Amino acid sequence: MAPPLNPKAPEFYPRNRAQELSQKPKFLSFTTFSVKPGKLSRPKCLPPRLLKQKAWVQKNRNVLPRKPLPPPKEAELKSLFGDQTSVMIRNIPNMFGRKDLLRILNNHCRRENKVQQQIPSSYDFLYLPMDFVKHANLGYAFVNFTSSVAAERFRREYDNFSWVGFGYKKICEISEAKYQGKEEYTQHFKDSRFPCHTDDYLPVILSPPSNGFTCYSLATLGYRVSTRGGGTGRRIHVA
């Protein structure tokens, strides 16, 4: 009989085939995972390659998940604006149009009114000043809500709001407007002239006020005048 290649290797004695099949390797006999809510149980017997891995264990088991904060009470919402209902929105992306702001306001009122509130959220006036030459907004707008509580809700959601997905780095700011109430805006803009080509650049009154669910009609304020000879338009600023 030829000597083995490795002189230190142990001698091999063949076993019975039936005896080999009856004895299963230990690393193949393991139980499956049984995961229960809030618990993680590991198997009683794992393969050798998995025994070296560390099992995931939650560090702070006694820390309970944070509960969402309750919505502020109606009395607390009147702390900032008092009885003021009109707000000024600053740092609006310049590519936004009036339809975009209407969509944002309608979605906000719809979310607030889904929760049963004593005072609903709705608005009845919107003006987005535009640059008639570049056909882009000037970065601010005016909105009048039907109550100071609705104005405070809008401020809490959109003040220090970042415009994600629009490539706009400025942060939205909500402040108190100079003119307050739909009546003051109506008196201010009823005789104004806007040298633009479309009524989309004019201030509008919503009738009935939009709460995010009901249909409404838009009534423009002021007059739209066209420039002769292809002249350039002028900017309309509101202090």
Side-chain angles (χ1 to χ4, degrees):
M1 182 176 181
L5 298 178
N6 186 4
K8 297 182 180 180
E11 297 182 358
F12 175 75
Y13 297 96
R15 297 182 180 180
N16 188 6
R17 184 61 178 173
Q19 184 180 3
E20 292 181 359
L21 295 177
S22 61
Q23 297 179 358
K24 296 181 179 180
K26 292 183 179 181
F27 65 89
L28 292 177
S29 58
F30 61 92
T31 57
T32 57
F33 285 92
S34 59
V35 180
K36 297 181 180 180
K39 297 182 179 180
L40 180 63
S41 60
R42 58 185 302 175
K44 298 179 181 179
C45 182
L46 287 173
R49 60 183 180 84
L50 296 179
L51 290 175
K52 298 180 181 180
Q53 299 181 3
K54 296 182 180 179
W56 177 84
V57 180
Q58 188 177 359
K59 292 184 178 179
N60 299 327
R61 295 185 178 182
N62 298 328
V63 178
L64 298 177
R66 293 183 179 179
K67 296 182 180 180
L69 296 177
K73 298 180 180 180
E74 303 294 338
E76 298 177 358
L77 292 174
K78 300 180 182 179
S79 58
L80 181 66
F81 288 144
D83 296 334
Q84 309 299 326
T85 60
S86 299
V87 299
M88 181 179 183
I89 310 174
R90 301 177 184 269
N91 299 332
I92 301 175
N94 300 106
M95 74 284 295
F96 276 17
R98 189 174 68 189
K99 293 182 179 179
D100 300 320
L101 276 185
L102 287 172
R103 187 181 302 108
I104 291 174
L105 291 168
N106 290 334
N107 292 337
H108 164 76
C109 293
R110 187 182 298 111
R111 288 192 299 268
E112 294 293 337
N113 293 328
K114 280 184 178 180
V115 183
Q116 294 182 359
Q117 303 282 3
Q118 296 179 0
I119 302 177
S121 292
S122 59
Y123 67 101
D124 54 9
F125 174 83
L126 173 63
Y127 177 48
L128 177 64
M130 301 292 293
D131 187 336
F132 305 138
V133 179
K134 298 181 180 179
H135 303 288
N137 70 71
L138 301 181
Y140 58 92
F142 301 92
V143 184
N144 180 68
F145 292 90
T146 57
S147 64
S148 59
V149 175
E152 175 64 14
R153 289 174 187 156
F154 182 78
R155 186 199 68 83
R156 293 202 174 194
E157 181 174 357
Y158 281 96
D159 194 24
N160 297 326
F161 176 80
S162 60
W163 304 100
V164 181
F166 297 96
Y168 200 71
K169 298 181 180 180
K170 293 185 178 181
I171 303 300
C172 180
E173 298 179 3
I174 309 297
S175 60
E176 181 181 344
K178 178 180 179 180
Y179 298 98
Q180 292 294 324
K182 181 178 65 175
E183 289 75 15
E184 290 191 15
Y185 282 110
T186 303
Q187 293 295 326
H188 182 76
F189 287 111
K190 66 178 183 179
D191 296 329
S192 300
R193 296 184 179 183
F194 302 90
C196 55
H197 67 286
T198 176
D199 290 340
D200 293 341
Y201 295 171
L202 274 63
V204 292
I205 292 178
L206 288 74
S207 179
S210 175
N211 60 0
F213 295 99
T214 59
C215 298
Y216 56 86
S217 60
L218 300 177
T220 58
L221 296 175
Y223 302 95
R224 178 170 59 89
V225 295
S226 59
T227 57
R228 295 182 179 180
T232 58
R234 60 185 178 89
R235 295 184 178 183
I236 301 295
H237 292 277
V238 179

